[in-house]
Amino acid sequence: HGSLNVLENHQAVIFLIKSVFINVNFPIIIAGKKPRKSLVDLIKKMPHIKLKADLPQDEMNDLIENAHCNVLYTFQQSGIKHKLLNAVYRGRFIVANQKMVSNSGLDSLVILRNEADKILEEIKEVQELEFNQSDIDKRKALLLKDYNNVENAKILAKYL
């Protein structure tokens, strides 16, 4: 998920389709804004992959929440990414590469895999797992400590 007209996101999803998703036998949903024509054309050739373009935020949130696994990949290490935070707050299992989580402190909340074959293995493995209360508790503990808007606002308020 993301803005699919952004070159970096476009390249990442093309990589995932050609190197990972082509090798799965269950439904894949790619969701995002303004997909390029080349991406639309590629997905049309893949019967198990659906493109959901330009969804309202509530529908995007539903997809993230209901996906058994969110796969996040980037070629660019550029600070914390909104799609990562959104998936960690809303999603279940997350498979991401190291560049996606770099300097975020969220490494322990995702399954880190960098190579296509390892990403594929993890996606297949988590299909057999249940996302349970201990997974949720682990996320809450870290997120409420480091990504708590109220507490962070109190810290900032001291400097104003």
Side-chain angles (χ1 to χ4, degrees), residues 89 139-149 151:
Y89 268 98
R139 282 204 187 158
K140 278 184 183 176
L142 186 97
L143 291 170
L144 290 176
K145 182 177 138 253
D146 295 336
Y147 289 93
N148 184 317
N149 289 341
E151 293 304 315

Side-chain angles (χ1 to χ4, degrees), residues 64-70 84-95 106 108-111 125-141 143:
I64 294 167
E65 290 170 11
N66 292 310
H68 193 67
C69 180
N70 283 272
L84 173 63
L85 271 177
N86 206 9
V88 168
Y89 268 98
R90 296 179 187 283
R92 297 177 195 164
F93 294 102
I94 302 164
V95 177
L106 300 173
S108 65
L109 302 181
V110 305
I111 301 165
E125 278 188 37
V126 300
Q127 294 305 311
E128 305 300 319
L129 300 177
E130 182 181 333
F131 194 77
N132 57 38
Q133 190 62 45
S134 71
D135 296 313
I136 295 167
D137 293 343
K138 181 180 176 184
R139 282 204 187 158
K140 278 184 183 176
L143 291 170

Side-chain angles (χ1 to χ4, degrees), residues 99-112:
K99 288 181 180 178
M100 179 60 69
V101 299
S102 182
N103 298 318
S104 69
L106 300 173
D107 308 45
S108 65
L109 302 181
V110 305
I111 301 165
L112 289 174

Side-chain angles (χ1 to χ4, degrees), residues 10-24:
H10 175 78
Q11 290 172 329
V13 77
I14 294 292
F15 164 77
L16 287 170
I17 289 169
K18 290 182 174 181
S19 303
V20 179
F21 300 155
I22 196 168
N23 297 308
V24 300

